[in-house]
Every structure is written in C-alpha cells, then in structure tokens.
C-alpha cells in the first residue's frame, strides 16, 4: 500500500522527544509554527535563524515571478522578453500596479496623470542647488525624494486609496525630473522644465540634454532603448531595495520617505550601484589582454566580477540577454562603445571557467546596461539613478500590495543575542 502523503512536516525535537506536525502551504512552513516547539513552559520557543533572508519568504505577492534556476522573469504573468519587445514603460508601470494590462482609454488616462505631475516645486530646484558641485546624483536623489514628503503632507493619509494613488502618480512622474535636475546641477547647467508633449523617456532625455534649441527632439532609437531599459528594471520581487521599501512602509511612513529609503538601498555597489561599478571595472581592465589576470584575481577572492552573480538567478539573467541585444542596436546608432569588446570577452571566459560554472555565476542586468548608458552620453554616476527611475513603479506596486495585505504588520525581525550577560555598571573613576 502506498504511503499516505500529507501537506505537513513532522518534526521531532530530540531535546524532548516531542513530535510536532506543521502545515505546509505553498512550499513553506509558518515560522510562527516553530514557536510552539519548546523545551519547557518557560522556553520562548524555536525561531528560524536566517541572516540576509536567504530562505525566508516575508510576503505573499502576486506581482513578479522569478524562476532563478530557469532564468525566467515575469511581471503579472507576462514574460519580460514580450514586455520589452512590445510594451512601453508606462504600460508596464500600470500593469505592475493594477495587475492587468490597461485598455486603450485606461492607458491614455494613466499617461495623462503621470505627465501632469512631472513638475517639482521651485524650492526643490533651490534645494538641489545647495548640493556641492560634485555631489553624487544618487545622493541628491535620496535627499530630494525624501524632501518631497515635506511638500505633500497629505501623503501620510495611508488609509485613503485615492491619496495613495495621487502620491504614486507623483513619484513615478517626478523621479526623472529630480534625476535630470541632479545631472544638470552636476554639469553646472540650468534645469530644463518637463515637456509634457514628449514620451516619458523622451521628456527625460529633453530634461537631461536640451540646450538652446526651442524644442528638444529625442533620437527615437535612444528614446526606445531607454524605455526598454526602464521596463527591464521595473520590478524584481523582494530584492534589497524593495524589501527596504516594504520595511520602511510597514511603519506607515509616507511613500516619499519609503522611496527615499529604497533609493538608499539601491545605491550600494552590490545592488543598483553595480552598473556603475561594471564600467569602472571594464575601464580598469583596459584591454582584452588583461582579462586573464583580472579573472585570476577574482578567483583568488581579491575582487568581484561586477555585473555577475545573483542571489536568485542561477542561470543567465533574462534581462541581461535583452540588454546585450539592445546594446548593439544603440551602438549602431551612436557608435560602438569600445568597452563592449572587453565585456564580451570577459563574459565568454567567465562562462567557461570552472570557478564561475561551479558557483552558477552568470551576467546580471548590470553587466551591459552601463555600456548603453555611457554610449548615450550619460556619466557613470547617473547609472544607479536610471535604475531607480525604472524601479519606482515596482517599489510602489509592492508598497501598495503591502498596505492592502492584512497579514502584514510592522517589519521587525528577531535576533539571537550573543552579547555580554548582565553586569553591573562600573563608575568611570574605578575603571582602568
Ligand atoms: N564575482 C566573483 N565571485 C562571486 C561573485 C562575483 N560577482 N558573486 C558571487 N561570487 C561567489 C562568492 O564569492 C561565493 O563564493 P564562495 O562560495 O566560494 O564563498 C559564491 O559566489 C556565492 O556568493 P554570495 O556572495 O554568497 O552570493 P549572494 O547571493 O550573497 O550575492 C550578489 C549576490 C549579487 C551580491 C553577488 O553575486 C555579487 O556581489 N555580485 C557582484 C555585484 C553585482 O553585480 N550586483 C548586481 C546584482 S543584480 C541587480 C541588482 O539586484 O541590483
């Protein structure tokens, strides 16, 4: 007779000999079910220890699916390759947020709502002017997104869906404006006001690059490439910055403050700062003949191959495939970025090398994106800011999902205390 199978996990606590049966739902056990496993009545109960949340699902989410083993990424069920090929960034933003692709009318309304919130208060421009001439644009972004919360005190009314909707429009609309203002400040150029007749990406290019011409006409190839790059960055389920967004949002901070914190998390070189780090690394390598030596130093643990590896993908990042193709389309238009030869050769060698094969390290989204940005004439320190613009709809969709999730409460992990036991205070005069 076949063994009876059940969706439960039976645990024997060898400290007590007690057996416990824990329900399994969607391939998970509830960490709180461990709490009932105790040595005696006074015992706090068992906890799961999981630094860096390597195997902990902190939410149920219907937004983005990653199958890291197969290299699959889908937003609301739609494969990323199809969205990159056929959709637009604002349509994807709508999809992430509302769960369905918009009708023609709904998309037109959404585009209108976003483009009519692109302006920022003049005080924000003055605020940006107060940053040092060489301030990193990502630092400016973190500061100014946070500052926006002081301009919109209504954003604190989290219980009102209409108020939340307005802030989400504002954030998606104003991120490119803040980014472009930060860039112009860096270059010592006057800011360019938003042009609402242009597309989302076209307007951003205008705010970055418009000089004395009456009307800036974006290059359609660059405009399309930027839109696709925004799509590819739009969401990536519970990554570091999204987890930060949810964590800060869980305290019921307003969405501007939560987005500023997400930007700060994204800033690091292990996350959204990696695109900048890749180009620095390729410049440092300088020539294909130096690749072997560089790979060796990576294998010796002296440095990391930036743009490679991922917590979830143990296969080629599907976004990197699209970006690699896109890079050549942009190069056909504006000329080849010479660093691409080093990047391609580096990738080829790394993908054949036992060190990378064994650890399943493949190129991620950041490996080729910086080369495209650089060819568009953008400075390296703006790259993480571009990532932030693309990721904003994802952060907001995840934030909105968290607010509406009855199971979510203020984020508050536990710890395993390993510090000193109780001891009495020693007055300063008695200390050596
Ligand atoms: N170069 C060399 N070795 C690496 C790399 C790399 N880029 N990434 C991981 N490894 C090695 C690591 O040393 C470790 O080896 P060992 O088992 O011998 O100690 C093993 O692979 C597992 O690495 P890990 O650090 O435990 O993996 P993680 O899941 O904690 O880290 C990561 C993921 C993305 C932080 C890491 O792969 C990394 O630092 N990559 C370079 C930075 C980068 O490209 N970041 C962008 C990520 S994608 C976009 C985004 O989400 O922002």
């Amino acid at each position: 007779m076949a063994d009876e199978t059940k969706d439960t996990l039976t645990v024997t606590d060898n400290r007590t000999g007690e057996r416990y049966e824990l329900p399994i739902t969607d391939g998970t056990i509830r960490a709180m079910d461990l709490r009932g496993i105790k040595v005696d009545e006074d015992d706090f109960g068992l906890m799961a220890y999981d630094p860096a949340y390597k195997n902990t699902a902190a939410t149920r989410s219907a937004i983005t699916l990653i199958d890291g083993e197969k290299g699959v990424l889908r937003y609301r069920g739609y494969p990323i390759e199809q969205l990159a090929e056929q959709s637009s960034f604002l349509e994807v933003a709508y999809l992430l947020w509302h769960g369905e692709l918009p009708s023609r009318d709904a998309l037109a309304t959404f585009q209108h709502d976003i483009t009519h919130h692109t302006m920022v208060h003049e005080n924000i421009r003055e605020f940006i002017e107060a940053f040092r001439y060489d301030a990193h644009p990502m630092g400016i972004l973190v500061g100014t997104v946070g500052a926006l919360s002081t301009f919109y005190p209504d954003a604190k009314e989290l219980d009102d869906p209409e108020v939340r909707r307005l802030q989400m429009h504002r954030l998606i609309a104003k991120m490119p404006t803040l980014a472009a203002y930060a860039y112009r400040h860096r270059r010592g150029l006057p800011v360019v006001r938003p042009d609402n007749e242009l597309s989302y990406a076209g307007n951003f290019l205008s705010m970055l690059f418009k000089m004395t011409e009456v009307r800036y006409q974006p290059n359609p190839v660059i405009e399309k490439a930027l839109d696709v790059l925004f799509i590819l960055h739009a969401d990536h389920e519970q990554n570091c910055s999204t987890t930060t967004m949810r964590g800060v949002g869980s305290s019921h901070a307003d969405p501007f403050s939560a987005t500023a914190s997400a930007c700060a998390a994204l800033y690091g070189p292990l996350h959204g700062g990696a695109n900048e780090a890749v180009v620095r690394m390729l410049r440092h390598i300088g020539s294909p003949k130096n690749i072997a030596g560089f790979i060796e130093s990576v294998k010796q643990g002296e440095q990391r191959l930036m743009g490679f590896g991922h917590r979830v993908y143990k296969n080629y990042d599907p976004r990197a495939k699209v970006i690699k193709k896109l890079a050549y389309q942009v190069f056909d238009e504006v000329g080849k970025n010479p660093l691409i030869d080093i990047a391609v050769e580096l990738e080829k060698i790394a993908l054949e090398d036992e060190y990378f094969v064994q650890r399943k390290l493949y190129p991620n989204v950041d490996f080729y994106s910086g080369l495209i940005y650089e060819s568009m004439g953008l400075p390296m320190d703006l790259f993480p800011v571009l990532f932030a613009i693309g990721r904003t709809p994802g952060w907001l969709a995840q934030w909105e999902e968290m607010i509406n999730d009855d199971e979510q409460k203020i984020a508050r992990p536990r710890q395993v205390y390993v510090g000193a036991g109780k001891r009495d205070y020693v007055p300063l005069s008695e200390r050596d």
Side-chain angles (χ1 to χ4, degrees):
M1 198 173 78
D3 286 343
E4 193 190 333
T5 59
K6 283 203 272 179
D7 284 336
T8 59
L9 176 74
T10 302
V11 180
T12 305
D13 185 346
N14 293 321
R15 299 171 302 176
T16 58
E18 289 286 334
R19 271 161 62 97
Y20 301 84
E21 193 169 334
L22 313 180
I24 298 177
T25 312
D26 295 330
T28 63
I29 56 160
R30 294 241 163 203
M32 279 306 283
D33 286 347
L34 298 175
R35 190 69 75 73
I37 303 179
K38 299 177 176 204
V39 214
D40 55 42
E41 266 309 295
D42 296 334
D43 187 3
F44 179 77
L46 214 56
M47 289 193 294
Y49 176 59
D50 187 14
Y53 312 119
K54 281 182 144 180
N55 195 38
T56 295
T59 187
R60 298 167 67 82
S61 180
I63 300 174
T64 290
L65 173 99
I66 304 176
D67 182 334
E69 295 301 322
K70 297 200 181 104
V72 165
L73 170 62
R74 290 182 208 137
Y75 297 159
R76 300 283 189 183
Y78 294 101
I80 190 67
E81 296 82 0
Q82 289 183 22
L83 293 169
E85 180 84 28
Q86 299 173 54
S87 187
S88 69
F89 177 61
L90 285 188
E91 187 176 61
V92 165
Y94 183 100
L95 170 70
L96 288 169
W97 180 350
H98 298 281
E100 297 297 336
L101 287 167
S103 66
R104 196 183 292 268
D105 284 352
L107 181 60
T109 307
F110 187 63
Q111 277 166 340
H112 174 273
D113 289 343
I114 298 298
T115 46
H116 283 77
H117 283 290
T118 48
M119 298 280 278
V120 294
H121 195 286
E122 275 300 282
N123 287 165
I124 285 285
R125 185 185 54 73
E126 289 162 16
F127 183 51
I128 290 176
E129 274 173 16
F131 280 91
R132 290 205 56 178
Y133 70 94
D134 59 351
H136 195 292
M138 199 63 181
I140 298 183
L141 190 73
V142 171
T144 48
V145 177
L148 281 182
S149 82
T150 66
F151 291 78
Y152 304 112
D154 57 324
K156 292 186 171 52
E157 292 162 31
L158 298 186
D159 291 338
D160 186 335
E162 274 309 301
V163 173
R164 291 204 303 274
R165 201 169 66 92
L166 177 59
Q167 314 317 321
M168 289 167 80
H169 285 152
R170 283 176 171 153
L171 270 157
I172 295 171
K174 292 183 203 306
M175 288 295 273
T177 314
L178 297 178
Y181 280 20
Y183 169 78
R184 303 283 291 199
H185 172 69
R186 185 77 198 271
R187 304 251 350 245
L189 293 166
V191 300
V192 175
R193 312 281 170 203
D195 180 343
N196 289 348
E197 298 303 311
L198 294 174
S199 71
Y200 189 84
N203 170 49
F204 181 49
L205 289 167
S206 165
M207 291 189 291
L208 289 174
F209 296 130
K210 184 171 180 296
M211 289 298 181
T212 52
E213 64 271 45
V214 177
R215 188 96 198 259
Y216 179 85
Q217 290 299 343
N219 174 323
V221 176
I222 305 284
E223 185 181 3
K224 173 71 186 153
L226 195 56
D227 199 68
V228 172
L229 283 162
F230 286 154
I231 292 174
L232 296 175
H233 286 89
D235 195 47
H236 216 225
E237 49 118 311
Q238 309 312 315
N239 55 84
C240 176
S241 55
T242 301
T243 299
T244 305
M245 179 88 189
R246 281 177 172 264
V248 174
S250 78
S251 76
H252 291 184
D254 68 83
F256 296 98
S257 303
T259 304
S261 69
C263 289
L266 190 73
Y267 195 173
L270 298 188
H271 192 8
N275 48 18
E276 181 181 347
V278 168
V279 176
R280 287 189 199 284
M281 173 188 78
L282 295 174
R283 288 230 178 112
H284 171 74
I285 295 172
S287 152
K289 72 175 175 2
N290 298 327
I291 291 177
F294 176 80
I295 293 272
E296 204 39 51
S297 75
V298 170
K299 286 159 66 176
Q300 294 306 319
E302 288 160 19
Q303 53 193 321
R304 288 208 157 190
L305 174 50
M306 299 310 287
F308 256 67
H310 199 275
R311 172 64 58 78
V312 184
Y313 291 119
K314 300 301 164 203
N315 201 325
Y316 212 103
D317 181 336
R319 302 168 299 174
K321 274 191 198 151
V322 179
I323 292 181
K324 193 174 176 185
K325 214 167 108 198
L326 195 65
Y328 287 102
Q329 287 166 15
V330 173
F331 298 161
D332 281 347
E333 185 67 18
V334 296
K336 190 170 121 181
N337 186 329
L339 293 178
I340 187 80
D341 293 336
I342 301 177
V344 169
E345 188 60 18
L346 191 57
E347 178 193 330
K348 191 167 149 273
I349 292 174
L351 290 181
E352 286 166 0
D353 192 292
E354 190 49 28
Y355 175 95
F356 298 90
V357 174
Q358 204 185 39
R359 291 170 177 77
K360 298 188 176 173
L361 301 172
Y362 291 87
N364 59 49
V365 69
D366 294 312
F367 194 66
Y368 288 105
S369 60
L371 295 181
I372 307 186
Y373 297 142
E374 197 174 54
S375 299
M376 290 176 176
L378 295 165
M380 269 191 285
D381 54 13
L382 204 68
F383 301 172
V385 173
L386 298 165
F387 194 149
I389 296 173
R391 185 55 55 88
T392 299
W395 287 333
L396 291 167
Q398 300 269 353
W399 171 78
E400 176 75 4
E401 187 178 63
M402 187 262 311
I403 295 282
N404 287 316
D405 182 347
D406 290 339
E407 275 202 304
Q408 293 297 332
K409 293 179 180 291
I410 186 165
R412 207 307 184 183
R414 292 279 177 172
Q415 66 166 10
V416 178
Y417 178 70
V418 293
K422 179 178 179 290
R423 46 188 175 164
D424 290 326
Y425 179 79
V426 181
L428 189 56
S429 58
E430 291 171 25
R431 278 177 248 159
D432 287 336

